[in-house]
Amino acid sequence: MFDVIVVGGGAAGFYAAIQMATVNPKLKIAIFERGKTVLGKVKVSGGGRCNVTHAEFNPVELVNNYPRGKKELLGPFHSHSTGDVMAFFEERGVPLKIEEDGRIFPESNTSQSIIDCFLKEIERLGINVLKNSSVKSFLPIDNGNEGWQITTMNKHYKCKNLLIASGSNPKIWKQLEGMGHTIVPAVPSLFTFNIKDKRIKGIQGLSTYVQVVVPAKKHYNSKIVVQLRSKVNERPVLESNGPLLITHWGMSGPAILKLSAWGANILNEYNYNFRIIVNWVPEYTTEMMEEVLFRIKGVEAKKTIVRTNSVDIPKRLWINLVEAAEISKDLKWADVTKEALKKLALQLTKCSFKVEGKSTFKEEFVTAGGVDLKEIDFKTFESKKLPNLYFAGEVINVDAITGGFNFQNAWTGAYIAANAIAKD
């Protein structure tokens, strides 16, 4: 018999258990983890450095990074946000640092610092951690009013309060659905795009700031797409700005990852086969770029086009785009035709690529979907369907763009649920 059972030995589960035991040391708490090890996602986060959170301290701005959960998280973020998370770790001997892009990491540059902090606190507070304890079922006693019965492979447990912090777990979702909860079907979020195109072949590792749009399918013809900006009723399906990274398999980087998060459901409907339009010089429209190229033609007349990278993009990319515009590598600016420069302007500002599939972003697999947000009380993160049942982390239909925001959702939900339980 436990006062609280936490299902899931990840970030949200550990943070919640520690917060509960800190507020009410008398509570008998257990964390059930189905695997052999705990905190696996924490270990691989941020390339093994653990992107703890993001340096956005204003809750009103912070919620703008959540494609699902923006409205619901505003109140919780006013209760427990970035600064509170930083204080939690620093008070426990884990100094953090803010990097230029706003991501926050341990100064040690290793996720093990976060893991060690959690394990030390768990031991100090006397919290039970049961590994290899996959939850087969959890059943409400007297509709949840008298607590819960949890069954693992060969044991039965009881608890007054049950906190589900199991992440994207189809078996848990199925049980919750059987109890009356609505589960929004899960689809991948935060993924990279698979693209085979000679314009980006052989230049992997190259990164530059771009604008990317996903046009409506009826506008896949690039000549029509050029006119999208002036037609309000024909706006792109998705739009993103930021650094784009060319990879061996296609494209990644913040601009692509933001598209994948905000478009998680749409791109799933497209079966991950669609087109994107990349503006390699987002400060210019196609018409503006044509004017720039015509001016360069007058100034650099004697130089070859391929060797005169007169716009702010990497040289290797410029060479590939010049070739894609069917301009000879020996052609000088003085000899280039007006039609050829128009083609080059299109390659620079409305560069169309066919996406054929996706790849997981490193090991940081994130899904959109989970427990319907309408069925959760966000003042406590308790179920509106069943009493003494709480949620934290990715088990609910909340997800964010990359940069530490998904962890912040886990910390905040865990903190609020933990305090609601501990004070009960």
Side-chain angles (χ1 to χ4, degrees):
M1 180 72 190
F2 292 97
D3 294 305
V4 189
I5 287 178
V6 178
V7 178
F14 269 73
Y15 199 77
I18 292 166
Q19 296 285 359
M20 277 185 272
T22 301
V23 174
N24 188 346
K26 295 180 180 180
L27 289 177
K28 190 178 180 183
I29 304 167
I31 299 173
F32 284 28
E33 166 56 42
R34 61 179 172 174
K36 296 178 182 179
T37 59
V38 294
L39 300 164
K41 204 166 184 178
V42 171
K43 189 172 183 65
V44 300
S45 162
R49 295 196 297 147
C50 188
N51 186 184
V52 177
T53 182
H54 197 93
E56 177 50 76
F57 297 93
N58 182 352
V60 176
E61 295 298 328
L62 182 57
V63 295
N64 290 327
N65 298 286
Y66 294 83
R68 284 147 289 275
K70 176 180 177 179
K71 179 180 71 175
E72 292 81 2
L73 289 176
L74 182 58
F77 282 157
H78 274 98
S79 297
H80 194 79
S81 196
T82 305
D84 303 296
V85 172
M86 292 184 74
F88 172 89
F89 287 109
E90 290 179 345
E91 287 167 3
R92 289 163 175 80
V94 184
L96 304 176
K97 61 177 179 177
I98 301 174
E99 299 199 339
E100 282 188 20
D101 59 4
R103 292 183 299 165
I104 297 175
F105 293 91
E107 283 187 2
S108 65
N109 273 330
T110 172
S111 56
Q112 196 61 43
S113 297
I114 303 298
I115 294 171
D116 290 344
C117 171
F118 279 147
L119 295 177
K120 183 178 177 181
E121 284 294 281
I122 288 292
E123 184 177 359
R124 181 180 70 83
L125 294 165
I127 297 167
N128 297 274
V129 178
L130 286 72
K131 301 174 187 176
N132 296 309
S133 294
S134 179
V135 173
K136 300 302 177 185
S137 69
F138 48 97
L139 299 170
I141 303 169
D142 187 21
N143 202 36
N145 292 298
E146 294 299 321
W148 292 80
Q149 178 175 301
I150 290 83
T151 302
T152 59
M153 186 69 75
N154 53 12
K155 291 186 179 181
H156 301 284
Y157 303 86
K158 288 184 180 179
C159 63
K160 171 63 176 173
N161 294 285
L162 178 62
L163 172 60
I164 305 292
S166 55
S168 303
N169 188 322
K171 291 181 180 178
I172 296 292
W173 280 331
K174 188 173 182 180
Q175 290 187 63
L176 289 168
E177 194 170 35
M179 295 175 188
H181 266 292
T182 303
I183 304 300
V184 178
V187 298
S189 181
L190 288 189
F191 49 85
T192 61
F193 295 172
N194 294 348
I195 299 171
K196 293 180 180 178
D197 193 291
K198 64 181 182 180
R199 289 169 294 180
I200 59 172
K201 187 177 180 181
I203 57 173
Q204 56 269 12
L206 183 149
S207 179
T208 187
Y209 192 93
V210 302
Q211 178 194 57
V212 190
V213 302
V214 178
K217 286 198 171 183
K218 62 180 178 178
H219 301 309
Y220 273 6
N221 184 314
S222 61
K223 292 181 180 179
I224 298 175
V225 170
V226 174
Q227 305 300 323
L228 283 177
R229 284 285 177 189
S230 61
K231 297 183 180 180
V232 176
N233 63 333
E234 295 178 355
R235 288 178 179 170
V237 173
L238 297 164
E239 185 172 348
S240 173
N241 291 278
L244 180 147
L245 174 67
I246 295 172
T247 67
H248 288 282
W249 60 88
M251 293 180 182
S252 183
I256 297 299
L257 295 169
K258 279 192 281 185
L259 274 188
S260 73
W262 288 99
N265 290 305
I266 295 169
L267 301 183
N268 179 65
E269 290 174 10
Y270 287 176
N271 198 28
Y272 309 105
N273 283 273
F274 55 95
R275 285 195 176 273
I276 59 171
I277 309 298
V278 179
N279 185 346
W280 300 104
V281 281
E283 64 272 26
Y284 293 98
T285 63
T286 305
E287 293 75 16
M288 290 166 63
M289 181 49 60
E290 286 176 8
E291 292 178 11
V292 169
L293 295 176
F294 287 134
R295 285 202 300 270
I296 296 171
K297 175 180 166 70
V299 175
E300 307 284 4
K302 294 181 179 181
K303 294 182 180 179
T304 58
I305 296 171
V306 75
R307 292 182 182 177
T308 313
N309 183 1
S310 302
V311 295
D312 189 21
I313 63 171
K315 186 176 181 179
R316 289 182 296 162
L317 176 62
W318 167 262
I319 293 170
N320 285 5
L321 295 181
V322 169
E323 183 181 342
E326 300 176 334
I327 295 173
S328 167
K329 65 179 181 179
D330 299 319
L331 191 68
K332 294 180 180 179
W333 283 98
D335 302 321
V336 69
T337 65
K338 183 177 181 180
E339 200 60 37
L341 288 184
K342 283 181 174 287
K343 284 185 179 180
L344 181 55
L346 268 178
Q347 289 293 334
L348 288 165
T349 59
K350 297 290 180 183
C351 201
S352 178
F353 293 93
K354 187 178 180 182
V355 178
E356 297 179 288
K358 59 177 177 55
S359 294
T360 301
F361 175 57
K362 298 181 180 177
E363 296 86 358
E364 299 172 40
F365 185 67
V366 175
T367 58
V371 179
D372 195 311
L373 304 184
K374 296 185 183 71
E375 300 172 359
I376 300 167
D377 180 354
F378 280 90
K379 292 180 180 178
T380 60
F381 277 71
E382 186 176 12
S383 165
K384 289 182 179 179
K385 296 282 186 179
L386 293 160
N388 303 313
L389 175 63
Y390 297 80
F391 304 104
E394 207 179 325
V395 67
I396 67 176
N397 185 26
V398 170
D399 64 288
I401 65 173
T402 185
F405 300 106
N406 283 295
F407 268 140
Q408 185 58 55
N409 167 54
W411 311 135
T412 296
Y415 172 86
I416 292 175
N419 276 265
I421 292 168
K423 293 173 182 177
D424 183 9

